[in-house]
Amino acid sequence: MMMDLPVSDTNLEAAKQDELSFECENYDLELIHKVVQVLLMGLASASVDNTKGNLFRGPAAVVIDLRKEMVEYLIQRSEAYVSETVIEEGNADVDTLGDPVEVISGFIDDFSSSKRNLFSRVSGWVLSEMREDSIDDFVQEMEMKGFWAVDIREAITRTLLKNIDYMNHFHCGMKFNRAEELEEHKSRCDFRPLSCNNEGCKAKVCAIYGDKHDLVCPYKVLPCEQNCSQRIMRRDMDRHCITVCPMKLVNCPFYQVGCQSSFPQCTTEKHCSEFIHSHLLFILQVIHKQEASMDELKQRVQLLEKSQSLSDLSEALDVRSLTLAVKEQEAKMKTLERDLGKKSKESGNMSKQVSELQRQVQSLQKRAGDGSSS
């Protein structure tokens, strides 16, 4: 016994629209694109499997005939899909007939399976990586030669989708009495094609999915995710954040000698200036290793901080430059200490000489005094 399609207000409205002359032909462009790719892949699969093991015919020898057969098969299956689903599977809810891409892919798989030759069926060919490679190669060959143009596949896909999408979830299909009414409707149709407004993006999407595309569009310009002042395309954001962004987190340049701090890259100079004391201590530990105690090293740090070259030391932003600056300053300090030592010694000798002269003068004065008395 045949089961009738369920009758509803929507069904009655659809029946009325069948009598109208002007139909909106806007479709879900993303879905159309997916099916267009599946069609070419399915044809390649059928052609490769049909000629596997044949030394005299390759996929190119059968692809034209198989294309015609596949299109006829898909149209027949799509025309019967709604009634078959409702009657054979007892699914009275035509609103849940499945995702069109999956449905059409199922049709294509059924067709491809039916075209496998004996060799393909009895061997392990179907599950082999070699088969996948052969299919991919034939797809590329067809694309390079312009076989089965995209616009033709899009037209076939629209026909298949119209047959399957009974409830118009993925295409419009509204009908009107006059062309003027159709044109007015197209300007506000949910499935009208829109070009992406982001500069550089050539994508076209349905109006109903415009916001969804904008959320993932690689050409969308966004504020930096790390809060620097720049605005970056979404596709360049990761590269910007891990390479040139001034706000990317970096380790202290003196990390390898002991400073464990991390901070935004743009604050490196500020950090090195503020933590010059600890950085100097780390550098002196490396330079002198076991030659000096911690207290002695701290005293050296204090001397370096009091020196006139502290500003130069603060400008050293890496281990090598600060190490060289410290060594140079320590060498200057040693020279100064040596010079001061010499001067101090010379000053001591002069003091002794003066004292001796004073002693001699006092002795002479005493003798002179004694002589006058006598």
Side-chain angles (χ1 to χ4, degrees), residues 181-200:
E181 294 177 342
L182 174 60
E183 290 305 314
E184 180 183 354
H185 162 77
K186 284 184 176 181
S187 66
R188 49 186 171 79
C189 176
D190 286 343
F191 290 97
R192 69 186 184 277
L194 295 178
S195 297
C196 178
N197 292 325
N198 297 318
E199 185 177 355

Side-chain angles (χ1 to χ4, degrees), residues 204-249:
K204 287 190 175 182
V205 296
C206 295
I208 195 173
Y209 299 130
D211 292 340
K212 179 182 177 182
H213 168 77
D214 196 61
L215 291 174
V216 297
C217 177
Y219 293 90
K220 176 78 172 179
V221 177
L222 302 167
C224 172
E225 293 177 352
Q226 297 180 147
N227 297 320
C228 82
S229 60
Q230 298 184 47
R231 295 178 63 83
I232 312 296
M233 281 188 185
R234 180 179 278 116
R235 67 175 187 171
D236 297 328
M237 185 66 71
D238 288 345
R239 181 174 57 187
H240 166 79
C241 288
I242 63 177
T243 55
V244 298
C245 179
M247 292 299 291
K248 76 170 183 177
L249 287 180

Side-chain angles (χ1 to χ4, degrees), residues 4 26 36 39 47 58 66-67 92 123 158 178 186 238-239 254 267 274 298 300 325 345:
D4 294 331
N26 288 330
V36 162
L39 283 173
S47 301
L66 287 180
R67 179 181 61 181
S123 66
R158 291 189 182 93
R178 296 176 306 175
K186 284 184 176 181
D238 288 345
R239 181 174 57 187
F254 301 94
T267 63
E274 291 179 351
K298 289 180 179 179
R300 289 175 181 267
K345 184 177 181 181

Side-chain angles (χ1 to χ4, degrees), residues 339-352:
D339 292 342
L340 288 174
K342 288 181 179 180
K343 290 181 180 180
S344 177
K345 184 177 181 181
E346 291 174 356
S347 177
N349 291 335
M350 289 181 65
S351 296
K352 290 180 179 180

Side-chain angles (χ1 to χ4, degrees), residues 49-175:
D49 290 344
N50 186 256
T51 56
K52 176 58 183 173
N54 192 322
L55 300 178
F56 304 101
R57 291 200 310 170
V62 299
V63 68
I64 295 178
D65 292 338
L66 287 180
R67 179 181 61 181
K68 180 180 178 181
E69 289 183 42
M70 187 171 82
V71 172
E72 292 175 351
Y73 175 84
L74 294 177
I75 291 177
Q76 291 175 1
R77 286 290 303 272
S78 66
E79 289 175 341
Y81 174 70
V82 175
S83 59
E84 287 178 354
T85 303
V86 173
I87 296 173
E88 295 180 8
E89 299 181 10
N91 183 2
D93 186 5
V94 293
D95 192 30
T96 58
L97 292 181
D99 175 64
V101 177
E102 294 182 2
V103 172
I104 295 174
S105 295
F107 295 163
I108 294 174
D109 289 343
D110 291 343
F111 175 80
S112 298
S113 298
S114 70
K115 295 303 174 181
R116 291 174 184 162
N117 61 18
L118 182 61
F119 182 88
S120 297
R121 294 176 186 275
V122 300
S123 66
W125 167 252
V126 175
L127 301 177
S128 68
E129 292 184 4
M130 187 179 296
R131 174 180 181 267
E132 297 299 324
D133 292 341
S134 298
I135 293 172
D136 290 341
D137 290 344
F138 192 49
V139 167
Q140 292 181 12
E141 181 181 342
M142 287 191 289
E143 289 177 335
M144 290 177 60
K145 294 182 177 179
F147 183 81
W148 209 5
V150 173
D151 57 343
I152 296 177
R153 281 181 279 153
E154 288 178 347
I156 294 170
T157 300
R158 291 189 182 93
T159 299
L160 300 177
L161 184 57
K162 185 176 181 180
N163 292 338
I164 291 173
D165 186 25
Y166 183 81
M167 297 299 291
N168 292 11
H169 289 318
F170 303 97
H171 78 291
C172 181
M174 289 189 65
K175 297 179 181 180

Side-chain angles (χ1 to χ4, degrees), residues 298-330:
K298 289 180 179 179
Q299 290 177 1
R300 289 175 181 267
V301 169
Q302 292 176 355
L303 290 174
L304 288 170
E305 289 179 328
K306 293 177 181 178
S307 68
Q308 294 180 349
S309 62
L310 180 60
S311 59
D312 295 333
L313 296 175
S314 300
E315 293 174 358
L317 301 181
D318 57 71
V319 172
R320 181 175 181 274
S321 59
L322 185 56
T323 299
L324 292 175
V326 168
K327 287 182 176 180
E328 181 179 349
Q329 184 59 25
E330 282 196 316

